Amino acid sequence: QPVLTQSSSASASLGSSVRLTCTLSSGHSFYVIAWHQQQPGKAPRYLMKIENSGTYKRGSGVPDRFSGSSSGADRYLTISNLQSEDEADYYCETWDSVLWVFGGGTKLTVL
Amino acid sequence: EAQLLDSGGGLVLPGGSLRLSCGASGFTFSSYSMSWVRQAPGKGLEWVSGISGSGGRTYYADFVKGRFTISRDNSKNTVSLQMDTLRGEDTAVYYCAKGNDGFDVWGQGTMVIVSS
């Protein structure tokens, strides 16, 4: 089954950009993944889906400050013009025919 | 707008049972797989169980196989999770989530506490 690896934390300044990485395990580099944002005390929120090609599709209402890309087994979430409300945990997710898998999550701090 | 509303959480003794429910609206319920995802206090997201749109196929994480049962009623747009033989490590917020390929709608979550 696929395994997703994320850095535990990241930080960036207000108004800057940050790129978060989600790495797929060996043999699963072609998988599609989804990114979710979880603000403190809230339910997760779907952000986007990213294909192996780098094509991504944002969810309804997700600002265009959020973008996705891909390189090999890595799937990226880039947040531009960071806002204070972007401080949150970010999780990647993937799936196969019989299960769904989450990465461990990245805690983003906006300085 | 697609929405999910989780309910049924509470405090239960170790070895006890609890049934969670999730009501759906704003989308064609029977066209989508539904899942339950949990989050223990201070921890990350963990997929628990899923069910196909028709209800004909069910899927479970190894740590709940034989203890939890997922089901759905497409006439009532609801999905349920029957949790038996509960353990302390099952303590978590449980979310229902919609999606065949990526969870694009989440419920607000319901808290389950397993403690004596």
Side-chain angles (χ1 to χ4, degrees):
Chain A
Q1 69 182 53
V3 174
L4 299 173
T5 302
Q6 299 181 249
S7 299
S8 59
S9 64
S11 62
S13 300
L14 197 66
S16 70
S17 296
V18 67
R19 188 175 79 171
L20 306 182
T21 304
C22 173
T23 302
L24 287 150
S25 52
S26 178
H28 302 93
S29 62
F30 56 94
Y31 275 48
V32 179
I33 70 117
W35 281 101
H36 304 276
Q37 176 195 60
Q38 188 176 34
Q39 295 172 322
K42 293 190 174 182
R45 171 197 182 194
Y46 172 75
L47 293 177
M48 68 180 65
K49 196 159 44 180
I50 307 174
E51 298 179 7
N52 177 44
S53 63
T55 301
Y56 69 96
K57 182 176 173 59
R58 281 187 292 268
S60 174
V62 176
D64 59 8
R65 301 188 295 106
F66 292 82
S67 62
S69 58
S70 177
S71 175
D74 292 332
R75 305 287 182 269
Y76 305 108
L77 172 68
T78 299
I79 311 172
S80 304
N81 187 22
L82 272 168
Q83 305 295 303
S84 58
E85 60 264 31
D86 298 332
E87 185 159 293
D89 294 325
Y90 291 83
Y91 295 92
C92 54
E93 171 216 345
T94 195
W95 53 90
D96 67 10
S97 56
V98 297
L99 58 81
W100 287 257
V101 174
F102 289 95
T106 297
K107 183 177 184 63
L108 175 64
T109 300
V110 179
L111 304 172
Chain B
E1 178 190 1
Q3 290 187 331
L4 299 172
L5 187 62
D6 309 321
S7 62
L11 174 63
V12 61
L13 294 171
S17 297
L18 207 58
R19 187 177 182 86
L20 306 183
S21 292
C22 171
S25 61
F27 62 97
T28 306
F29 185 67
S30 61
S31 294
Y32 295 93
S33 296
M34 297 294 295
S35 281
W36 288 94
V37 175
R38 73 184 185 184
Q39 186 171 36
K43 302 297 185 181
L45 300 174
E46 183 174 51
W47 174 76
V48 174
S49 180
I51 187 167
S52 63
S54 67
R57 289 169 290 160
T58 57
Y59 313 99
Y60 299 94
D62 286 345
F63 55 81
V64 301
K65 278 181 183 174
R67 299 191 300 125
F68 291 10
T69 304
I70 191 170
S71 60
R72 66 190 295 159
D73 185 338
N74 285 347
S75 68
K76 295 182 179 178
N77 287 2
T78 59
V79 58
S80 299
L81 185 69
Q82 176 67 39
M83 304 187 296
D84 298 319
T85 320
L86 283 161
R87 307 165 179 165
E89 54 264 37
D90 295 320
T91 294
V93 176
Y94 285 74
Y95 299 98
C96 71
K98 161 190 172 283
N100 302 326
D101 49 1
F103 298 134
D104 60 0
V105 183
W106 293 78
Q108 86 286 1
T110 186
M111 183 75 202
V112 172
I113 300 173
V114 183
S115 175
S116 55

